[in-house]
PDB file of all heavy atoms in Angstrom:
ATOM      1  N   MET A   1      10.914  17.193  -4.458  1.00 71.00           N
ATOM      2  CA  MET A   1       9.859  16.142  -4.606  1.00 71.00           C
ATOM      3  C   MET A   1       8.769  16.368  -3.555  1.00 71.00           C
ATOM      4  O   MET A   1       9.041  16.297  -2.379  1.00 71.00           O
ATOM      5  CB  MET A   1      10.495  14.728  -4.428  1.00 71.00           C
ATOM      6  CG  MET A   1       9.558  13.573  -4.344  1.00 71.00           C
ATOM      7  SD  MET A   1       8.500  13.357  -5.789  1.00 71.00           S
ATOM      8  CE  MET A   1       9.704  12.674  -6.965  1.00 71.00           C
ATOM      9  N   CYS A   3       5.985  14.591  -3.346  1.00 98.00           N
ATOM     10  CA  CYS A   3       5.141  13.378  -3.210  1.00 98.00           C
ATOM     11  C   CYS A   3       5.239  12.920  -1.755  1.00 98.00           C
ATOM     12  O   CYS A   3       6.322  12.645  -1.216  1.00 98.00           O
ATOM     13  CB  CYS A   3       5.618  12.272  -4.127  1.00 98.00           C
ATOM     14  SG  CYS A   3       4.880  10.675  -3.808  1.00 98.00           S
ATOM     15  N   CYS A   6       6.982   9.539  -1.295  1.00 98.00           N
ATOM     16  CA  CYS A   6       8.420   9.633  -1.497  1.00 98.00           C
ATOM     17  C   CYS A   6       9.064  10.263  -0.246  1.00 98.00           C
ATOM     18  O   CYS A   6      10.168   9.870   0.109  1.00 98.00           O
ATOM     19  CB  CYS A   6       8.736  10.457  -2.741  1.00 98.00           C
ATOM     20  SG  CYS A   6       8.559   9.539  -4.307  1.00 98.00           S
ATOM     21  N   PRO A  42       5.869   0.774  -3.496  1.00 98.00           N
ATOM     22  CA  PRO A  42       7.238   0.638  -4.026  1.00 98.00           C
ATOM     23  C   PRO A  42       8.016   1.843  -3.552  1.00 98.00           C
ATOM     24  O   PRO A  42       7.511   2.952  -3.434  1.00 98.00           O
ATOM     25  CB  PRO A  42       7.034   0.713  -5.545  1.00 98.00           C
ATOM     26  CG  PRO A  42       5.759   1.479  -5.742  1.00 98.00           C
ATOM     27  CD  PRO A  42       4.902   1.266  -4.518  1.00 98.00           C
ATOM     28  N   LYS A  43       9.289   1.647  -3.250  1.00 98.00           N
ATOM     29  CA  LYS A  43      10.141   2.779  -2.857  1.00 98.00           C
ATOM     30  C   LYS A  43      10.336   3.740  -4.017  1.00 98.00           C
ATOM     31  O   LYS A  43      10.479   4.957  -3.832  1.00 98.00           O
ATOM     32  CB  LYS A  43      11.498   2.291  -2.294  1.00 98.00           C
ATOM     33  CG  LYS A  43      11.334   1.637  -0.927  1.00 98.00           C
ATOM     34  CD  LYS A  43      12.710   1.317  -0.317  1.00 98.00           C
ATOM     35  CE  LYS A  43      12.579   0.877   1.126  1.00 98.00           C
ATOM     36  NZ  LYS A  43      13.850   0.433   1.691  1.00 98.00           N
ATOM     37  N   LYS A  44      10.355   3.176  -5.209  1.00 98.00           N
ATOM     38  CA  LYS A  44      10.498   3.993  -6.415  1.00 98.00           C
ATOM     39  C   LYS A  44       9.187   4.741  -6.713  1.00 98.00           C
ATOM     40  O   LYS A  44       8.097   4.160  -6.511  1.00 98.00           O
ATOM     41  CB  LYS A  44      10.800   3.049  -7.582  1.00 98.00           C
ATOM     42  CG  LYS A  44      10.917   3.690  -8.934  1.00 98.00           C
ATOM     43  CD  LYS A  44      11.234   2.650 -10.001  1.00 98.00           C
ATOM     44  CE  LYS A  44      11.316   3.314 -11.350  1.00 98.00           C
ATOM     45  NZ  LYS A  44      11.545   2.332 -12.413  1.00 98.00           N
ATOM     46  N   HIS A  45       9.261   5.974  -7.121  1.00 98.00           N
ATOM     47  CA  HIS A  45       8.080   6.724  -7.462  1.00 98.00           C
ATOM     48  C   HIS A  45       7.451   6.234  -8.772  1.00 98.00           C
ATOM     49  O   HIS A  45       8.025   6.473  -9.870  1.00 98.00           O
ATOM     50  CB  HIS A  45       8.332   8.237  -7.543  1.00 98.00           C
ATOM     51  CG  HIS A  45       7.096   9.014  -7.814  1.00 98.00           C
ATOM     52  ND1 HIS A  45       6.215   9.401  -6.838  1.00 98.00           N
ATOM     53  CD2 HIS A  45       6.563   9.442  -8.967  1.00 98.00           C
ATOM     54  CE1 HIS A  45       5.205  10.055  -7.370  1.00 98.00           C
ATOM     55  NE2 HIS A  45       5.391  10.088  -8.686  1.00 98.00           N
ATOM     56  N   ILE A  46       6.327   5.572  -8.677  1.00 98.00           N
ATOM     57  CA  ILE A  46       5.549   5.176  -9.847  1.00 98.00           C
ATOM     58  C   ILE A  46       4.165   5.822  -9.600  1.00 98.00           C
ATOM     59  O   ILE A  46       3.566   5.558  -8.547  1.00 98.00           O
ATOM     60  CB  ILE A  46       5.398   3.633  -9.941  1.00 98.00           C
ATOM     61  CG1 ILE A  46       6.775   2.999 -10.123  1.00 98.00           C
ATOM     62  CG2 ILE A  46       4.443   3.237 -11.087  1.00 98.00           C
ATOM     63  CD1 ILE A  46       6.794   1.473  -9.968  1.00 98.00           C
ATOM     64  N   PRO A  47       3.682   6.696 -10.480  1.00 98.00           N
ATOM     65  CA  PRO A  47       2.474   7.470 -10.160  1.00 98.00           C
ATOM     66  C   PRO A  47       1.214   6.654  -9.902  1.00 98.00           C
ATOM     67  O   PRO A  47       0.448   6.988  -9.003  1.00 98.00           O
ATOM     68  CB  PRO A  47       2.298   8.384 -11.385  1.00 98.00           C
ATOM     69  CG  PRO A  47       3.684   8.467 -11.974  1.00 98.00           C
ATOM     70  CD  PRO A  47       4.313   7.129 -11.717  1.00 98.00           C
ATOM     71  N   GLU A  56       8.544  -3.040 -14.486  1.00 98.00           N
ATOM     72  CA  GLU A  56       8.200  -2.758 -13.068  1.00 98.00           C
ATOM     73  C   GLU A  56       7.066  -3.666 -12.580  1.00 98.00           C
ATOM     74  O   GLU A  56       6.886  -3.759 -11.361  1.00 98.00           O
ATOM     75  CB  GLU A  56       7.747  -1.302 -12.931  1.00 98.00           C
ATOM     76  CG  GLU A  56       8.862  -0.285 -13.119  1.00 98.00           C
ATOM     77  CD  GLU A  56       8.370   1.128 -13.359  1.00 98.00           C
ATOM     78  OE1 GLU A  56       7.148   1.281 -13.736  1.00 98.00           O
ATOM     79  OE2 GLU A  56       9.132   2.064 -13.218  1.00 98.00           O
ATOM     80  N   PRO A  96      -0.713  10.285  -5.548  1.00 98.00           N
ATOM     81  CA  PRO A  96      -0.222   9.821  -6.879  1.00 98.00           C
ATOM     82  C   PRO A  96       1.133   9.111  -6.800  1.00 98.00           C
ATOM     83  O   PRO A  96       2.071   9.474  -7.480  1.00 98.00           O
ATOM     84  CB  PRO A  96      -0.147  11.101  -7.685  1.00 98.00           C
ATOM     85  CG  PRO A  96       0.118  12.155  -6.682  1.00 98.00           C
ATOM     86  CD  PRO A  96      -0.525  11.734  -5.405  1.00 98.00           C
ATOM     87  N   HIS A  97       1.186   8.092  -5.950  1.00 98.00           N
ATOM     88  CA  HIS A  97       2.371   7.206  -5.846  1.00 98.00           C
ATOM     89  C   HIS A  97       1.740   5.825  -5.626  1.00 98.00           C
ATOM     90  O   HIS A  97       0.979   5.634  -4.666  1.00 98.00           O
ATOM     91  CB  HIS A  97       3.242   7.654  -4.661  1.00 98.00           C
ATOM     92  CG  HIS A  97       4.481   6.827  -4.418  1.00 98.00           C
ATOM     93  ND1 HIS A  97       5.740   7.390  -4.277  1.00 98.00           N
ATOM     94  CD2 HIS A  97       4.636   5.496  -4.281  1.00 98.00           C
ATOM     95  CE1 HIS A  97       6.630   6.419  -4.050  1.00 98.00           C
ATOM     96  NE2 HIS A  97       5.984   5.269  -4.036  1.00 98.00           N
ATOM     97  N   LEU A  98       2.008   4.913  -6.518  1.00 98.00           N
ATOM     98  CA  LEU A  98       1.408   3.571  -6.479  1.00 98.00           C
ATOM     99  C   LEU A  98       1.414   2.996  -5.046  1.00 98.00           C
ATOM    100  O   LEU A  98       2.430   3.075  -4.386  1.00 98.00           O
ATOM    101  CB  LEU A  98       2.176   2.621  -7.402  1.00 98.00           C
ATOM    102  CG  LEU A  98       1.790   1.168  -7.416  1.00 98.00           C
ATOM    103  CD1 LEU A  98       0.373   0.984  -7.918  1.00 98.00           C
ATOM    104  CD2 LEU A  98       2.798   0.371  -8.253  1.00 98.00           C
TER     105      LEU A  98
END
Side-chain angles (χ1 to χ4, degrees):
M1 171 61 74
C3 169
C6 282
K43 287 186 171 175
K44 176 181 181 183
H45 183 83
I46 298 170
E56 291 163 342
H97 180 129
L98 176 64

